[in-house]
Amino acid sequence: MIKCGIIGCGVIAPTHIEGYQALSDVQVVHLCDLIPERADKLGEKYGVARRSTDYRRLLADPEVDLVSVCTDHASHAQIVVDALNAGKHVVCEKSLGRVPADLKRMCDTAKAHPELVASGIFQHRFQPANRTLKQMVAAGKFGRIIAVNLAFSCLRTDEYYNKDAWRGTFAGEGGGILINQAIHHLDQLRYVFGDIKRLVARTANLTHQGVIEVEDTAAFVMEFKSGVFGTVVATNSAAVEWRSFLSLIGSELCLEYANEVPVHVEGKSAELAKEVEAALTVKNDTPVVGKKYYGVGHTDQLADVIDAIREHRAPAVTIEDAADSSALVMAVYESAAKGGWVDVPDYR
Ligand SMILES: NC(=O)c1ccc[n+]([C@@H]2O[C@H](COP(=O)([O-])OP(=O)(O)OC[C@H]3O[C@@H](n4cnc5c(N)ncnc54)[C@H](O)[C@@H]3O)[C@@H](O)[C@H]2O)c1
C-alpha cells in the first residue's frame, strides 16, 4: 500500500484525491490546508480522517509515503524541499515555482535524494492524442518540422482574480496567462518538439488593468534546439473558455490541431494525411475530475508516479523536466522585461 498526503485543499486537490483513489493499493491518509474548513470539507467527502493546518505535521506523519503539493506557486519550492528532506516522494502541481531560484532549489534537493521520486504535474502529456502526436513527429510522419505556431486563448475574469489573494500577483502567482494557463501548452511544445534554445518576447496587461500586476497577454518568437522556428500568442482576455490551436508546418505534412483534436491535415500524400488524422482522432470517454479542459491525464500521471515508486525508477515527468517548462515561462518574462533575445536555461 502506498499512502498519500495532500497539501493544499483548494480547486485542484479533488483531482489528485480522486486520481489516487482510482488506483489499487493506494490510499489518501492525510489532508492539509492553512484553512481548516477546506481540509475538513474534502476529508468528509473523501473519507480522510487525518487533517492538519501546518504542512510540517503532514510531513512528520510516518504513514505518508508520497505528497501531492497543490498550493499556490510561491509556496511550492519550500514545501517540495521540505518534503524531500523529510524522506517523502513528491509530486508538485505546475508551475514548479515562481522564479528561477525556486527551480534551482527544488532540482538541487531532488538530485540530492535519488532514492525518492520527484515529479511535476503536466497531465496533458498523458492525453492519448498528444502521446500519438509526439510519436508521429518522432517517426518522421510530418517530414522535417519547419515551424510551429501556438495560439492559446482562454478567459479569466476580474472575479476569478479577486477570488484568492495569490492570483494575479508577482509574489503569489509569479505571472499571469503564461505561468498559470498557457504553461500546459508550452509544456506540450517541449514534449513534442524538444527544448527551446532562445526566444524574444513581449507581454502586456490588456484587459485587467487595476486588477492584476501580471500579464494577461503575451507573444514570443522562439528557436528550438533542433532548429525549428516557433511563435506563441497567448491571452486570457478572450471570448472563449479554453482553446489551444497548434499549427505544425512540416515538409511532408501540415497539421492544424485545436483543443487536442486534428481539424485539418494536408500534405504531399493524401493517404498519409488520412492516416495521421485517424490516429490523432482519439475518442475518450474517461470522466474528467474538475474542469473539462484539465483533460483526463491526472490519473495516468499519478499512476506513473506510483509505479515509479514501486519500480524504483524515474517518473515520466521528472521534477527537472517540469522545471524546464517553468524555466521557459520565466525566460519569456526576462525577455519581456529587458528586451531582446534570452537563452532558455536547462535544469535537467
Ligand atoms: N494541472 C491543472 O490542470 C491545474 C488546474 C488548476 C490548478 N492547478 C495548480 O494547482 C495549484 C493550486 O491551484 P488551486 O487553483 O487549487 O488554488 P487554490 O487557491 O484553490 O488552492 C490552494 C490551497 O492551498 C492552501 N495553501 C496555501 N499555502 C499553504 C500551505 N503553506 N500549507 C497548506 N495549505 C496551503 C490554500 O489555503 C488553498 O486552499 C497551483 O499550482 C495551480 O497552478 C493545476
Side-chain angles (χ1 to χ4, degrees):
M1 177 73 75
I2 292 184
K3 297 189 175 171
C4 310
I6 310 284
I7 302 177
C9 294
V11 173
I12 199 61
T15 309
H16 284 243
I17 298 171
E18 292 196 28
Y20 289 128
Q21 289 186 338
L23 303 173
S24 55
D25 287 326
V26 178
Q27 203 183 343
V28 179
V29 295
H30 199 142
L31 302 177
C32 170
D33 200 289
L34 292 172
I35 303 169
E37 297 76 32
R38 293 196 177 175
D40 286 343
K41 192 174 163 203
L42 294 189
E44 273 146 37
K45 178 167 181 194
Y46 293 108
V48 183
R50 216 166 315 149
R51 300 156 203 170
S52 46
T53 50
D54 182 342
Y55 76 84
R56 288 173 196 84
R57 281 196 56 201
L58 184 149
L59 296 183
D61 182 343
E63 278 234 312
V64 171
D65 305 299
L66 165 65
V67 174
S68 267
V69 181
C70 298
T71 58
D72 56 83
H73 300 168
S75 58
H76 286 174
Q78 192 61 51
I79 297 176
V80 166
V81 165
D82 288 347
L84 290 167
N85 286 335
K88 308 298 184 189
H89 304 286
V90 66
V91 54
C92 181
E93 264 296 345
K94 56 70 177 172
S95 163
L96 260 286
R98 188 183 65 85
V99 288
D102 287 345
L103 305 180
K104 183 160 173 19
R105 286 176 69 209
M106 295 162 105
C107 293
D108 286 352
T109 311
K111 283 192 178 84
H113 289 285
E115 76 285 6
L116 296 172
V117 169
S119 181
I121 288 282
F122 277 115
Q123 79 272 14
H124 289 267
R125 293 194 191 196
F126 292 79
Q127 199 77 13
N130 292 338
R131 290 181 157 201
T132 304
L133 178 60
K134 180 180 168 66
Q135 284 159 8
M136 290 188 145
V137 167
K141 296 275 183 196
F142 295 89
R144 180 176 168 179
I145 308 295
I146 308 297
V148 293
N149 308 298
L150 171 71
F152 173 69
S153 322
C154 67
L155 179 60
R156 288 295 177 272
T157 58
D158 290 354
E159 292 71 40
Y160 164 87
Y161 277 115
N162 288 330
K163 198 161 46 84
D164 300 291
W166 66 277
R167 298 187 196 275
T169 62
F170 287 115
E173 194 165 1
I177 173 69
L178 291 179
I179 204 165
N180 199 326
Q181 294 88 33
I183 195 167
H184 288 293
H185 300 285
L186 301 179
D187 179 71
Q188 277 180 61
L189 290 178
R190 287 191 51 250
Y191 173 63
V192 177
F193 304 106
D195 283 329
I196 289 123
K197 188 174 160 193
R198 55 190 188 148
L199 57 84
V200 60
R202 297 275 290 165
T203 59
N205 178 346
L206 296 183
T207 69
H208 299 82
Q209 291 284 343
V211 177
I212 62 173
E213 304 168 344
V214 297
E215 88 293 353
D216 60 23
T217 303
F220 60 97
V221 174
M222 61 193 164
E223 192 184 336
F224 287 77
K225 285 187 177 162
S226 62
V228 170
F229 286 146
T231 63
V232 172
V233 176
T235 185
N236 64 20
S237 300
V240 292
E241 190 190 21
W242 189 278
R243 184 133 181 106
S244 67
F245 185 86
L246 177 73
S247 157
L248 185 171
I249 302 167
S251 61
E252 296 300 314
L253 209 60
C254 294
L255 164 72
E256 291 170 16
Y257 188 61
N259 279 1
E260 296 160 342
V261 173
V263 291
H264 187 75
V265 192
E266 182 178 339
K268 290 175 184 163
S269 157
E271 210 172 303
L272 180 62
K274 264 178 95 170
E275 176 200 322
V276 166
E277 184 164 5
L280 289 173
T281 308
V282 185
K283 195 167 169 350
N284 203 317
D285 296 329
T286 312
V288 175
V289 185
K291 308 258 165 50
K292 191 165 169 260
Y293 52 77
Y294 294 175
V296 296
H298 265 99
T299 303
D300 285 346
Q301 180 163 7
L302 296 175
D304 171 73
V305 169
I306 296 287
D307 287 348
I309 294 170
R310 288 187 176 134
E311 294 162 13
H312 304 285
R313 62 160 171 86
V317 188
T318 63
I319 204 152
E320 293 89 352
D321 192 359
D324 281 347
S325 290
S326 294
L328 168 60
V329 168
M330 292 170 197
V332 172
Y333 294 154
E334 186 189 341
S335 170
K338 72 177 192 196
W341 287 88
V342 163
D343 290 335
V344 182
D346 181 342
Y347 290 88
R348 296 203 306 291

